[in-house]
Every structure is written in structure tokens, then in C-alpha cells.
Amino acid sequence: MNVPLYEKLWMWAAGVLIVAFLAMIAVGVAGSALQPPSHVETIDPTKIWNDPRFVRRGVTLDEHGATVVVVGMMFAFMPAEIRVPAGRRVTFRVTSADVTHGFQIVGTNGNTMIVPGYVSQFTTVFREPGEYLIVCNEYCGLGHHLMSAKLIVEEARP
Ligand SMILES: [Cu+2]
């Protein structure tokens, strides 16, 4: 098959771009530890308050670390104050009661989009004890700038 030179060049250029885009995703996942917004677990956003997965919000400690269940809504996170142990695995399970919100733990790699209808889940470890700000980083309405919560990472007790 005879492929003209220009066509060959363009095919190579397109191939290089595809590899570059895949590499960007790989760097984001492995290097920057960015989390995908959801693991495709669905939920009826109108029935969150009665859903057994979200009835008990807040922190549950276990032998591996902690699970934190949070609901985001216009314009607050429930609960607004979260206490987790340092140096342990902390799994966040977050959903939205209304529109799309963000859930970013400033200064850490904890960051996910909260999409109504889905449960966003990610696991991270906080090495440094201290107070962290959690903000909504998706514009969600007039009170968007008020939407925040506090994460307190406590020195793990032996
Ligand atoms: Cu919001």
C-alpha cells in the first residue's frame, strides 16, 4: 500500500498526540494522585436522608483507619467538622443532595467532584496532624463561597 508522505506525517502526529494525552492521565493518576470523581456507585439524590449508606454521617473508626460519610448540599457539608487519625487510611464517601459540588481538602491530595446520583469515594492518608480546610470547588450557586468544612487530623493514639 502506498501512503503519501504528508499522510504518513499526519498519522504519526496524531499517534504522538494520543500517546501524550494518555501519558497526561497516567501522570495525573500516579504522580499527582488525582482521584476519579466516582466509582459508579449510584444513589437516589432525593432519598439520601433515608438511605442506609448516608443515614449515619460522620466518622467511623476501625482497625485500618476511618470511614467518613459526608453529604454536600447548597451550601454546606454535613458534618461540618470531621476528626480523623493521622497516619491511617481514611476513606471518604461523599454524595450530593442537590447539584454538583466539589470536595477539596486544601493542601492534601483529597479532592473529588460530588455529582448528585453518585457516591464519590476515595482513600487517602494524612501524615501531618493539624487543621485542614475543606472547600467546594465547583460553582454551585449564590452561596458557593460559604460552602466549607473543617478537617481535624489528630495525632494517632498508640
Ligand atoms: Cu457547593
Side-chain angles (χ1 to χ4, degrees):
M1 196 172 78
N2 185 24
V3 181
L5 177 66
Y6 276 130
E7 198 160 339
K8 263 188 203 153
L9 286 175
W10 279 112
M11 286 195 300
W12 275 106
V16 166
L17 277 180
I18 289 168
V19 170
F21 291 152
L22 291 176
M24 281 180 215
I25 295 170
V27 167
V29 169
S32 313
L34 298 180
Q35 311 282 346
S38 170
H39 59 292
V40 204
E41 177 183 343
T42 55
I43 186 168
D44 182 344
T46 61
K47 299 196 176 88
I48 283 171
W49 309 113
N50 299 318
D51 191 292
R53 292 168 290 174
F54 282 87
V55 163
R56 221 179 144 273
R57 291 171 296 279
V59 182
T60 308
L61 294 171
D62 59 42
E63 65 269 32
H64 308 293
T67 302
V68 186
V69 172
V70 182
V71 173
M73 67 199 136
M74 289 190 267
F75 297 101
F77 293 105
M78 269 186 72
E81 192 180 297
I82 298 163
R83 281 172 190 274
V84 295
R88 311 291 300 275
R89 287 165 60 87
V90 181
T91 298
F92 287 87
R93 289 177 49 76
V94 196
T95 194
S96 167
D98 38 50
V99 300
T100 297
H101 296 284
F103 185 87
Q104 180 180 8
I105 308 167
V106 178
T108 74
N109 68 353
N111 186 1
T112 187
M113 194 188 260
I114 328 172
V115 183
Y118 292 92
V119 178
S120 300
Q121 179 174 311
F122 65 92
T123 301
T124 189
V125 175
F126 302 102
R127 304 260 168 231
E128 285 296 313
E131 254 188 54
Y132 296 85
L133 178 68
I134 301 173
V135 294
C136 172
N137 60 8
E138 299 280 339
Y139 183 74
C140 56
L142 282 179
H144 167 66
H145 60 290
L146 302 170
M147 189 167 169
S148 71
K150 194 170 21 170
L151 175 77
I152 298 159
V153 177
E154 294 175 321
E155 203 88 60
R157 288 177 206 97

